[in-house]
Amino acid sequence: MQLIDGKEIARQIKAEIAAETAQIKNSGGKTPHLAAVLVGHDGGSETYVSHKVKACEECGFNSTLIRYENTVEEWELLEKIDELNRNADIDGFIVQLPLPGHISEQKIIEAIDFRKDVDGFHPVNVGRMAIGLPCFISATPAGILELLKRYKIETVGKHCVVLGRSNIVGKPVATLMMQKATPGDATVTVCHSRSKNLKEMCLQADIIIAALGQPGFLKASMVKKDVVVIDVGTTRIPSSQTKSGYRLVGDVLFDEVAPLASFITPVPGGVGPMTIVSLMKNTLLASKGEIY
Ligand code: GUN
């Protein structure tokens, strides 16, 4: 079994991005600038956004954090998005999800100029990805593919089972795994909460990408020997053992699945750190105008 060290790969990629950014800045080019809009004080969102701001510093980017209380009105956010769309210094921006119930996430996503949508959530980017055109690919799926690439994991003709059909992970990663590309060219099955023969599907899988948000869902009895397991789950559960008062738990029962796997990602330290660097990559691409 080989552990996929997302933390180490993310460190390498961040160093590559930082080196390229330093070169751009030294030759008088524009400093990449990412803005993040954070609504409310959800613990998970606070952590993710602070990691994104820190990653910007490490890459040599400028960053701007715009905060609102939970009571913010939808029109206020839409006004801010309009301003960010028109601000030439901002190369890309994200609105951290989830948003409070009185705000339409879809309306917010669609208000973002797709050329600045470094999250890759806008329907234009999703659609372009689906037909293999240059676009911003959302960070978690992009991070997963980068891990497969850097660990030289064969995907051609393999049976890849994706657990979960979210717009952020399940759907896009399934699309990417079946595209004519490397990594890609896999035969993909998408399973979800209404799937009937989930265990049988998993037992046939060469690669399992678990993105259900159900702690410990994937067990040893559900996988075949030498399976590749990518665990996207990041459920926070209370813990008296950590400073933060919680710990992250994946969708895979790591201790029992790992001995059967050829490759497996841990939680934390697997897919999570890759998500952040993929966002940095998209921001650099946006700044260089390489996509649009
Ligand atoms: N909430 C959970 N993951 C993400 C992400 O990748 N981007 C944004 N904007 N919100 C999220």
Side-chain angles (χ1 to χ4, degrees), residues 107-164:
K107 205 164 169 182
I108 296 298
I109 288 168
E110 290 186 37
I112 298 171
D113 183 333
F114 65 87
R115 291 163 296 194
K116 293 193 176 190
D117 168 41
V118 283
D119 255 334
F121 292 169
H122 191 285
V124 169
N125 282 310
V126 177
R128 289 176 66 95
M129 181 199 64
I131 56 174
L133 293 176
C135 63
F136 292 117
I137 296 173
S138 57
T140 303
I144 293 169
L145 263 75
E146 192 65 34
L147 285 178
L148 296 172
K149 196 167 163 181
R150 296 219 177 200
Y151 275 84
K152 299 186 170 57
I153 293 170
E154 186 61 79
T155 59
V156 181
K158 301 290 182 189
H159 184 197
C160 174
V161 169
V162 176
L163 300 176

Short mmCIF file of all heavy atoms in Angstrom, two decimals, residues 107-164:
data_model
loop_
_atom_site.label_atom_id
_atom_site.label_comp_id
_atom_site.label_asym_id
_atom_site.label_seq_id
_atom_site.Cartn_x
_atom_site.Cartn_y
_atom_site.Cartn_z
N LYS A 107 -27.92 31.92 -7.78
CA LYS A 107 -27.96 33.29 -8.29
C LYS A 107 -26.60 33.96 -8.08
O LYS A 107 -26.10 34.68 -8.95
CB LYS A 107 -29.05 34.06 -7.53
CG LYS A 107 -29.62 35.22 -8.28
CD LYS A 107 -30.91 35.63 -7.62
CE LYS A 107 -31.42 36.94 -8.13
NZ LYS A 107 -32.66 37.35 -7.46
N ILE A 108 -26.01 33.70 -6.92
CA ILE A 108 -24.70 34.28 -6.60
C ILE A 108 -23.64 33.75 -7.56
O ILE A 108 -22.86 34.50 -8.14
CB ILE A 108 -24.32 33.97 -5.12
CG1 ILE A 108 -25.30 34.65 -4.14
CG2 ILE A 108 -22.88 34.32 -4.82
CD1 ILE A 108 -25.33 36.16 -4.19
N ILE A 109 -23.64 32.43 -7.75
CA ILE A 109 -22.62 31.81 -8.63
C ILE A 109 -22.76 32.37 -10.05
O ILE A 109 -21.77 32.70 -10.70
CB ILE A 109 -22.78 30.27 -8.62
CG1 ILE A 109 -22.31 29.71 -7.28
CG2 ILE A 109 -22.02 29.63 -9.78
CD1 ILE A 109 -22.67 28.24 -7.05
N GLU A 110 -24.00 32.49 -10.51
CA GLU A 110 -24.21 32.95 -11.89
C GLU A 110 -23.91 34.43 -12.07
O GLU A 110 -23.72 34.90 -13.19
CB GLU A 110 -25.62 32.60 -12.35
CG GLU A 110 -25.77 31.10 -12.54
CD GLU A 110 -27.10 30.69 -13.14
OE1 GLU A 110 -27.61 31.41 -14.01
OE2 GLU A 110 -27.62 29.64 -12.72
N ALA A 111 -23.84 35.17 -10.95
CA ALA A 111 -23.53 36.61 -11.04
C ALA A 111 -22.03 36.83 -11.23
O ALA A 111 -21.60 37.90 -11.69
CB ALA A 111 -24.02 37.33 -9.79
N ILE A 112 -21.24 35.83 -10.87
CA ILE A 112 -19.78 35.97 -11.00
C ILE A 112 -19.40 35.91 -12.48
O ILE A 112 -19.86 35.03 -13.21
CB ILE A 112 -19.06 34.84 -10.21
CG1 ILE A 112 -19.39 34.94 -8.72
CG2 ILE A 112 -17.55 34.87 -10.44
CD1 ILE A 112 -18.92 33.75 -7.87
N ASP A 113 -18.55 36.85 -12.91
CA ASP A 113 -18.04 36.81 -14.28
C ASP A 113 -17.28 35.49 -14.45
O ASP A 113 -16.33 35.23 -13.70
CB ASP A 113 -17.09 38.00 -14.49
CG ASP A 113 -16.57 38.09 -15.92
OD1 ASP A 113 -16.49 37.04 -16.59
OD2 ASP A 113 -16.22 39.20 -16.33
N PHE A 114 -17.67 34.67 -15.43
CA PHE A 114 -17.05 33.34 -15.54
C PHE A 114 -15.54 33.42 -15.77
O PHE A 114 -14.82 32.49 -15.47
CB PHE A 114 -17.74 32.48 -16.62
CG PHE A 114 -17.61 33.01 -18.02
CD1 PHE A 114 -16.50 32.67 -18.79
CD2 PHE A 114 -18.57 33.83 -18.57
CE1 PHE A 114 -16.36 33.15 -20.08
CE2 PHE A 114 -18.44 34.32 -19.86
CZ PHE A 114 -17.33 33.98 -20.62
N ARG A 115 -15.09 34.57 -16.26
CA ARG A 115 -13.64 34.74 -16.48
C ARG A 115 -12.88 34.97 -15.18
O ARG A 115 -11.67 34.96 -15.14
CB ARG A 115 -13.39 35.90 -17.46
CG ARG A 115 -13.86 35.57 -18.87
CD ARG A 115 -14.01 36.79 -19.71
NE ARG A 115 -15.06 37.66 -19.16
CZ ARG A 115 -15.61 38.67 -19.81
NH1 ARG A 115 -15.21 38.96 -21.03
NH2 ARG A 115 -16.56 39.40 -19.24
N LYS A 116 -13.63 35.25 -14.09
CA LYS A 116 -13.01 35.41 -12.77
C LYS A 116 -13.42 34.31 -11.81
O LYS A 116 -13.08 34.34 -10.63
CB LYS A 116 -13.40 36.79 -12.19
CG LYS A 116 -12.81 37.96 -12.96
CD LYS A 116 -12.97 39.24 -12.17
CE LYS A 116 -12.29 40.39 -12.90
NZ LYS A 116 -12.21 41.59 -12.05
N ASP A 117 -14.16 33.34 -12.33
CA ASP A 117 -14.73 32.27 -11.49
C ASP A 117 -13.68 31.18 -11.25
O ASP A 117 -13.75 30.09 -11.82
CB ASP A 117 -15.98 31.71 -12.20
CG ASP A 117 -16.48 30.42 -11.59
OD1 ASP A 117 -16.48 30.32 -10.35
OD2 ASP A 117 -16.84 29.50 -12.37
N VAL A 118 -12.71 31.48 -10.38
CA VAL A 118 -11.61 30.53 -10.15
C VAL A 118 -12.06 29.28 -9.38
O VAL A 118 -11.31 28.32 -9.27
CB VAL A 118 -10.41 31.23 -9.46
CG1 VAL A 118 -9.64 32.06 -10.48
CG2 VAL A 118 -10.85 32.08 -8.28
N ASP A 119 -13.26 29.29 -8.83
CA ASP A 119 -13.85 28.09 -8.22
C ASP A 119 -14.36 27.13 -9.30
O ASP A 119 -14.62 25.96 -9.01
CB ASP A 119 -15.06 28.48 -7.35
CG ASP A 119 -14.74 28.43 -5.86
OD1 ASP A 119 -13.84 27.67 -5.47
OD2 ASP A 119 -15.43 29.14 -5.10
N GLY A 120 -14.58 27.64 -10.49
CA GLY A 120 -15.10 26.80 -11.58
C GLY A 120 -16.53 26.35 -11.36
O GLY A 120 -16.94 25.30 -11.85
N PHE A 121 -17.32 27.15 -10.65
CA PHE A 121 -18.71 26.78 -10.34
C PHE A 121 -19.73 27.35 -11.33
O PHE A 121 -20.87 26.92 -11.37
CB PHE A 121 -19.10 27.26 -8.93
CG PHE A 121 -18.39 26.56 -7.80
CD1 PHE A 121 -18.49 27.07 -6.49
CD2 PHE A 121 -17.65 25.41 -8.00
CE1 PHE A 121 -17.84 26.43 -5.44
CE2 PHE A 121 -17.01 24.76 -6.95
CZ PHE A 121 -17.11 25.28 -5.67
N HIS A 122 -19.32 28.38 -12.09
CA HIS A 122 -20.26 29.03 -13.01
C HIS A 122 -20.65 28.06 -14.13
O HIS A 122 -19.81 27.30 -14.62
CB HIS A 122 -19.61 30.29 -13.61
CG HIS A 122 -20.56 31.15 -14.35
ND1 HIS A 122 -21.04 30.81 -15.61
CD2 HIS A 122 -21.17 32.32 -14.02
CE1 HIS A 122 -21.88 31.75 -16.02
NE2 HIS A 122 -21.97 32.67 -15.08
N PRO A 123 -21.94 28.07 -14.53
CA PRO A 123 -22.38 27.14 -15.58
C PRO A 123 -21.53 27.19 -16.85
O PRO A 123 -21.38 26.17 -17.53
CB PRO A 123 -23.82 27.58 -15.87
CG PRO A 123 -24.27 28.23 -14.60
CD PRO A 123 -23.06 28.87 -13.99
N VAL A 124 -20.96 28.35 -17.17
CA VAL A 124 -20.10 28.42 -18.37
C VAL A 124 -18.86 27.54 -18.17
O VAL A 124 -18.48 26.76 -19.06
CB VAL A 124 -19.68 29.88 -18.70
CG1 VAL A 124 -18.60 29.91 -19.76
CG2 VAL A 124 -20.89 30.69 -19.15
N ASN A 125 -18.25 27.63 -17.00
CA ASN A 125 -17.07 26.79 -16.74
C ASN A 125 -17.43 25.31 -16.64
O ASN A 125 -16.72 24.45 -17.15
CB ASN A 125 -16.35 27.27 -15.48
CG ASN A 125 -15.52 28.51 -15.75
OD1 ASN A 125 -14.74 28.54 -16.72
ND2 ASN A 125 -15.68 29.55 -14.95
N VAL A 126 -18.56 25.02 -16.00
CA VAL A 126 -18.99 23.62 -15.87
C VAL A 126 -19.27 23.04 -17.26
O VAL A 126 -18.84 21.93 -17.60
CB VAL A 126 -20.27 23.52 -14.98
CG1 VAL A 126 -20.77 22.09 -14.91
CG2 VAL A 126 -19.98 24.04 -13.57
N GLY A 127 -19.95 23.83 -18.09
CA GLY A 127 -20.30 23.37 -19.45
C GLY A 127 -19.07 23.19 -20.31
O GLY A 127 -18.94 22.20 -21.03
N ARG A 128 -18.14 24.15 -20.21
CA ARG A 128 -16.91 24.04 -21.01
C ARG A 128 -16.09 22.83 -20.57
O ARG A 128 -15.49 22.15 -21.41
CB ARG A 128 -16.10 25.34 -20.92
CG ARG A 128 -16.77 26.49 -21.67
CD ARG A 128 -16.02 27.80 -21.48
NE ARG A 128 -14.70 27.77 -22.08
CZ ARG A 128 -14.41 28.22 -23.30
NH1 ARG A 128 -15.35 28.74 -24.05
NH2 ARG A 128 -13.17 28.15 -23.77
N MET A 129 -16.07 22.58 -19.25
CA MET A 129 -15.34 21.40 -18.77
C MET A 129 -15.96 20.13 -19.35
O MET A 129 -15.25 19.22 -19.80
CB MET A 129 -15.38 21.34 -17.25
CG MET A 129 -14.62 20.15 -16.69
SD MET A 129 -15.07 19.76 -15.02
CE MET A 129 -16.77 19.32 -15.21
N ALA A 130 -17.30 20.11 -19.37
CA ALA A 130 -18.00 18.90 -19.83
C ALA A 130 -17.67 18.56 -21.28
O ALA A 130 -17.67 17.38 -21.65
CB ALA A 130 -19.51 19.08 -19.66
N ILE A 131 -17.37 19.59 -22.10
CA ILE A 131 -17.05 19.29 -23.51
C ILE A 131 -15.56 19.48 -23.80
O ILE A 131 -15.15 19.56 -24.95
CB ILE A 131 -17.94 20.09 -24.49
CG1 ILE A 131 -17.86 21.60 -24.23
CG2 ILE A 131 -19.38 19.60 -24.40
CD1 ILE A 131 -18.61 22.42 -25.29
N GLY A 132 -14.76 19.54 -22.74
CA GLY A 132 -13.30 19.52 -22.91
C GLY A 132 -12.68 20.81 -23.43
O GLY A 132 -11.62 20.79 -24.03
N LEU A 133 -13.35 21.96 -23.18
CA LEU A 133 -12.78 23.24 -23.60
C LEU A 133 -11.99 23.87 -22.46
O LEU A 133 -12.25 23.56 -21.29
CB LEU A 133 -13.91 24.21 -24.01
CG LEU A 133 -14.70 23.84 -25.25
CD1 LEU A 133 -15.84 24.83 -25.47
CD2 LEU A 133 -13.78 23.80 -26.47
N PRO A 134 -11.03 24.77 -22.76
CA PRO A 134 -10.30 25.43 -21.68
C PRO A 134 -11.27 26.13 -20.73
O PRO A 134 -12.22 26.77 -21.18
CB PRO A 134 -9.43 26.46 -22.41
CG PRO A 134 -9.34 25.96 -23.81
CD PRO A 134 -10.62 25.22 -24.08
N CYS A 135 -11.04 25.98 -19.43
CA CYS A 135 -11.97 26.55 -18.44
C CYS A 135 -11.30 26.50 -17.07
O CYS A 135 -10.23 25.92 -16.93
CB CYS A 135 -13.27 25.75 -18.39
SG CYS A 135 -13.01 24.05 -17.86
N PHE A 136 -11.96 27.09 -16.09
CA PHE A 136 -11.52 26.89 -14.71
C PHE A 136 -12.19 25.62 -14.20
O PHE A 136 -13.41 25.53 -14.16
CB PHE A 136 -11.91 28.08 -13.83
CG PHE A 136 -11.17 29.34 -14.18
CD1 PHE A 136 -11.83 30.45 -14.65
CD2 PHE A 136 -9.79 29.39 -14.05
CE1 PHE A 136 -11.14 31.60 -15.00
CE2 PHE A 136 -9.08 30.53 -14.40
CZ PHE A 136 -9.77 31.64 -14.87
N ILE A 137 -11.38 24.65 -13.83
CA ILE A 137 -11.90 23.39 -13.28
C ILE A 137 -11.95 23.53 -11.77
O ILE A 137 -10.99 24.03 -11.16
CB ILE A 137 -11.00 22.21 -13.69
CG1 ILE A 137 -11.03 22.04 -15.21
CG2 ILE A 137 -11.42 20.92 -12.99
CD1 ILE A 137 -10.07 21.02 -15.74
N SER A 138 -13.07 23.12 -11.17
CA SER A 138 -13.20 23.35 -9.73
C SER A 138 -12.11 22.61 -8.96
O SER A 138 -11.58 21.59 -9.40
CB SER A 138 -14.61 23.04 -9.23
OG SER A 138 -14.95 21.73 -9.53
N ALA A 139 -11.77 23.21 -7.83
CA ALA A 139 -10.51 22.91 -7.16
C ALA A 139 -10.39 21.47 -6.66
O ALA A 139 -9.33 20.86 -6.81
CB ALA A 139 -10.32 23.89 -6.01
N THR A 140 -11.44 20.91 -6.08
CA THR A 140 -11.30 19.55 -5.53
C THR A 140 -11.12 18.52 -6.65
O THR A 140 -10.17 17.72 -6.58
CB THR A 140 -12.49 19.23 -4.60
OG1 THR A 140 -12.53 20.23 -3.57
CG2 THR A 140 -12.34 17.86 -3.97
N PRO A 141 -11.97 18.51 -7.68
CA PRO A 141 -11.73 17.56 -8.78
C PRO A 141 -10.36 17.75 -9.42
O PRO A 141 -9.67 16.78 -9.72
CB PRO A 141 -12.85 17.88 -9.78
CG PRO A 141 -13.89 18.58 -9.01
CD PRO A 141 -13.21 19.29 -7.89
N ALA A 142 -9.95 19.01 -9.62
CA ALA A 142 -8.64 19.27 -10.22
C ALA A 142 -7.53 18.71 -9.33
O ALA A 142 -6.57 18.11 -9.81
CB ALA A 142 -8.44 20.77 -10.45
N GLY A 143 -7.69 18.88 -8.01
CA GLY A 143 -6.69 18.37 -7.06
C GLY A 143 -6.60 16.86 -7.09
O GLY A 143 -5.51 16.29 -7.01
N ILE A 144 -7.75 16.19 -7.23
CA ILE A 144 -7.77 14.72 -7.28
C ILE A 144 -7.02 14.24 -8.53
O ILE A 144 -6.18 13.35 -8.47
CB ILE A 144 -9.23 14.20 -7.29
CG1 ILE A 144 -9.90 14.51 -5.95
CG2 ILE A 144 -9.28 12.71 -7.61
CD1 ILE A 144 -11.41 14.29 -5.92
N LEU A 145 -7.30 14.89 -9.68
CA LEU A 145 -6.63 14.47 -10.91
C LEU A 145 -5.13 14.71 -10.84
O LEU A 145 -4.34 13.91 -11.34
CB LEU A 145 -7.26 15.16 -12.13
CG LEU A 145 -8.28 14.25 -12.80
CD1 LEU A 145 -9.58 14.16 -12.02
CD2 LEU A 145 -8.53 14.63 -14.23
N GLU A 146 -4.75 15.80 -10.20
CA GLU A 146 -3.32 16.10 -10.04
C GLU A 146 -2.62 15.03 -9.20
O GLU A 146 -1.51 14.62 -9.51
CB GLU A 146 -3.18 17.50 -9.40
CG GLU A 146 -1.78 18.07 -9.44
CD GLU A 146 -1.26 18.38 -10.84
OE1 GLU A 146 -2.04 18.76 -11.71
OE2 GLU A 146 -0.03 18.20 -11.04
N LEU A 147 -3.30 14.55 -8.17
CA LEU A 147 -2.72 13.48 -7.34
C LEU A 147 -2.54 12.21 -8.17
O LEU A 147 -1.49 11.56 -8.10
CB LEU A 147 -3.62 13.17 -6.13
CG LEU A 147 -3.61 14.18 -4.97
CD1 LEU A 147 -4.59 13.74 -3.89
CD2 LEU A 147 -2.21 14.32 -4.37
N LEU A 148 -3.55 11.86 -8.97
CA LEU A 148 -3.46 10.65 -9.80
C LEU A 148 -2.29 10.78 -10.78
O LEU A 148 -1.54 9.83 -11.01
CB LEU A 148 -4.77 10.43 -10.57
CG LEU A 148 -6.02 10.13 -9.71
CD1 LEU A 148 -7.27 10.12 -10.56
CD2 LEU A 148 -5.86 8.78 -8.99
N LYS A 149 -2.13 12.01 -11.31
CA LYS A 149 -1.07 12.27 -12.29
C LYS A 149 0.31 12.15 -11.64
O LYS A 149 1.18 11.46 -12.14
CB LYS A 149 -1.29 13.68 -12.81
CG LYS A 149 -0.56 14.02 -14.07
CD LYS A 149 -1.17 15.31 -14.57
CE LYS A 149 -0.34 16.03 -15.57
NZ LYS A 149 -1.03 17.28 -15.96
N ARG A 150 0.46 12.84 -10.51
CA ARG A 150 1.80 12.88 -9.88
C ARG A 150 2.21 11.52 -9.31
O ARG A 150 3.39 11.25 -9.21
CB ARG A 150 1.84 13.96 -8.82
CG ARG A 150 1.65 15.34 -9.46
CD ARG A 150 2.50 16.41 -8.86
NE ARG A 150 2.28 17.65 -9.59
CZ ARG A 150 3.11 18.68 -9.60
NH1 ARG A 150 4.21 18.63 -8.91
NH2 ARG A 150 2.83 19.77 -10.29
N TYR A 151 1.24 10.68 -8.95
CA TYR A 151 1.57 9.33 -8.47
C TYR A 151 1.55 8.31 -9.62
O TYR A 151 1.67 7.11 -9.38
CB TYR A 151 0.63 8.91 -7.34
CG TYR A 151 1.10 9.42 -5.99
CD1 TYR A 151 0.79 10.70 -5.56
CD2 TYR A 151 1.90 8.63 -5.16
CE1 TYR A 151 1.24 11.19 -4.34
CE2 TYR A 151 2.35 9.10 -3.94
CZ TYR A 151 2.02 10.38 -3.53
OH TYR A 151 2.49 10.85 -2.32
N LYS A 152 1.41 8.84 -10.86
CA LYS A 152 1.42 7.99 -12.07
C LYS A 152 0.45 6.81 -11.95
O LYS A 152 0.78 5.66 -12.28
CB LYS A 152 2.84 7.49 -12.35
CG LYS A 152 3.83 8.61 -12.61
CD LYS A 152 5.19 8.03 -13.03
CE LYS A 152 6.14 9.08 -13.53
NZ LYS A 152 6.42 10.17 -12.60
N ILE A 153 -0.74 7.09 -11.44
CA ILE A 153 -1.74 6.04 -11.28
C ILE A 153 -2.47 5.85 -12.61
O ILE A 153 -3.00 6.81 -13.18
CB ILE A 153 -2.72 6.38 -10.13
CG1 ILE A 153 -1.96 6.34 -8.80
CG2 ILE A 153 -3.91 5.41 -10.11
CD1 ILE A 153 -2.71 6.89 -7.61
N GLU A 154 -2.45 4.63 -13.11
CA GLU A 154 -3.06 4.32 -14.41
C GLU A 154 -4.60 4.45 -14.32
O GLU A 154 -5.22 3.92 -13.39
CB GLU A 154 -2.69 2.87 -14.77
CG GLU A 154 -3.13 2.44 -16.15
CD GLU A 154 -2.54 3.27 -17.27
OE1 GLU A 154 -1.36 3.05 -17.63
OE2 GLU A 154 -3.27 4.15 -17.78
N THR A 155 -5.18 5.19 -15.24
CA THR A 155 -6.64 5.35 -15.23
C THR A 155 -7.29 4.82 -16.51
O THR A 155 -8.50 4.56 -16.53
CB THR A 155 -7.05 6.83 -15.04
OG1 THR A 155 -6.50 7.60 -16.12
CG2 THR A 155 -6.58 7.39 -13.72
N VAL A 156 -6.50 4.67 -17.58
CA VAL A 156 -7.05 4.26 -18.88
C VAL A 156 -7.76 2.91 -18.78
O VAL A 156 -7.17 1.92 -18.34
CB VAL A 156 -5.93 4.17 -19.95
CG1 VAL A 156 -6.52 3.77 -21.31
CG2 VAL A 156 -5.18 5.48 -20.06
N GLY A 157 -9.03 2.91 -19.16
CA GLY A 157 -9.79 1.66 -19.18
C GLY A 157 -10.15 1.11 -17.80
O GLY A 157 -10.76 0.05 -17.70
N LYS A 158 -9.77 1.83 -16.74
CA LYS A 158 -10.08 1.35 -15.39
C LYS A 158 -11.53 1.67 -15.04
O LYS A 158 -12.12 2.62 -15.57
CB LYS A 158 -9.16 2.02 -14.36
CG LYS A 158 -7.68 1.77 -14.59
CD LYS A 158 -7.30 0.34 -14.32
CE LYS A 158 -5.80 0.13 -14.50
NZ LYS A 158 -5.41 -1.28 -14.44
N HIS A 159 -12.08 0.87 -14.13
CA HIS A 159 -13.44 1.15 -13.67
C HIS A 159 -13.34 2.05 -12.45
O HIS A 159 -12.82 1.65 -11.40
CB HIS A 159 -14.16 -0.16 -13.31
CG HIS A 159 -15.59 0.07 -12.93
ND1 HIS A 159 -16.35 -0.85 -12.26
CD2 HIS A 159 -16.41 1.14 -13.14
CE1 HIS A 159 -17.57 -0.36 -12.07
NE2 HIS A 159 -17.62 0.84 -12.59
N CYS A 160 -13.82 3.27 -12.61
CA CYS A 160 -13.78 4.25 -11.52
C CYS A 160 -15.18 4.43 -10.96
O CYS A 160 -16.10 4.79 -11.69
CB CYS A 160 -13.25 5.58 -12.06
SG CYS A 160 -13.31 6.91 -10.85
N VAL A 161 -15.35 4.15 -9.69
CA VAL A 161 -16.65 4.37 -9.04
C VAL A 161 -16.57 5.65 -8.22
O VAL A 161 -15.71 5.79 -7.35
CB VAL A 161 -17.05 3.16 -8.16
CG1 VAL A 161 -18.26 3.50 -7.29
CG2 VAL A 161 -17.37 1.96 -9.05
N VAL A 162 -17.46 6.58 -8.55
CA VAL A 162 -17.55 7.84 -7.80
C VAL A 162 -18.73 7.72 -6.85
O VAL A 162 -19.84 7.41 -7.28
CB VAL A 162 -17.74 9.05 -8.76
CG1 VAL A 162 -17.92 10.34 -7.98
CG2 VAL A 162 -16.56 9.16 -9.73
N LEU A 163 -18.48 7.92 -5.57
CA LEU A 163 -19.56 7.88 -4.58
C LEU A 163 -19.96 9.32 -4.27
O LEU A 163 -19.18 10.07 -3.68
CB LEU A 163 -19.10 7.17 -3.31
CG LEU A 163 -18.63 5.72 -3.47
CD1 LEU A 163 -18.10 5.17 -2.15
CD2 LEU A 163 -19.77 4.85 -3.97
N GLY A 164 -21.14 9.71 -4.71
CA GLY A 164 -21.60 11.09 -4.48
C GLY A 164 -21.80 11.81 -5.80
O GLY A 164 -21.07 11.57 -6.76
#
